[in-house]
């Protein structure tokens, strides 16, 4: 049996690492998010899984950042209103 015969079928360690990082990023992006943030994060994840580069998805990343900032601001305002005090 040829010991080199399985070389073509061996997994690419770099590709496996990229896939693992992409999966981890997807999980992290979706954790503790508002529904709108989850939708945007899901689109980012799908684009990365499809092979997009970071430069390709920068508008989505910026949109997620703006949305998260707005949602955090709104949540703080809601908590202040509910506690009866304005800061």
């Amino acid at each position: 049996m040829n010991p080199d015969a399985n070389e073509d079928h061996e997994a690419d360690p770099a590709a496996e690492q990229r896939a693992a990082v992409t999966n981890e990023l997807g999980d992290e992006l979706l954790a503790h998010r508002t529904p709108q943030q989850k939708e945007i994060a899901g689109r980012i994840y799908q684009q990365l899984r499809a092979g997009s580069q970071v430069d390709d998805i920068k508008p989505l990343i910026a949109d997620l950042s703006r949305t998260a900032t707005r949602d955090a601001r709104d949540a703080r305002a809601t908590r202040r209103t509910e506690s009866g005090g304005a800061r």
Side-chain angles (χ1 to χ4, degrees):
M1 181 169 184
N2 183 355
D4 296 330
N6 289 329
E7 282 185 19
D8 292 337
H9 299 291
E10 289 182 20
D12 176 8
E16 287 180 0
Q17 177 66 22
R18 282 191 303 275
V21 169
T22 300
N23 287 332
E24 185 177 327
L25 175 62
D27 292 343
E28 194 172 313
L29 283 171
L30 294 175
H32 310 293
R33 302 284 184 198
T34 64
Q36 187 175 11
Q37 290 174 27
K38 285 182 181 182
E39 187 272 328
I40 297 167
R43 288 173 33 211
I44 290 170
Y45 175 74
Q46 290 303 321
Q47 291 290 324
L48 289 172
R49 292 280 298 177
S52 293
Q53 300 297 311
V54 172
D55 286 342
D56 300 329
I57 60 168
K58 280 186 178 179
L60 285 173
I61 294 169
D63 191 23
L64 179 59
S65 177
R66 284 189 300 273
T67 300
T69 300
R70 185 191 65 235
D71 291 346
R73 182 181 59 236
D74 292 348
R76 283 191 303 273
T78 298
R79 284 192 300 274
R80 282 195 304 265
T81 301
E82 290 173 351
S83 68
R87 292 182 184 187

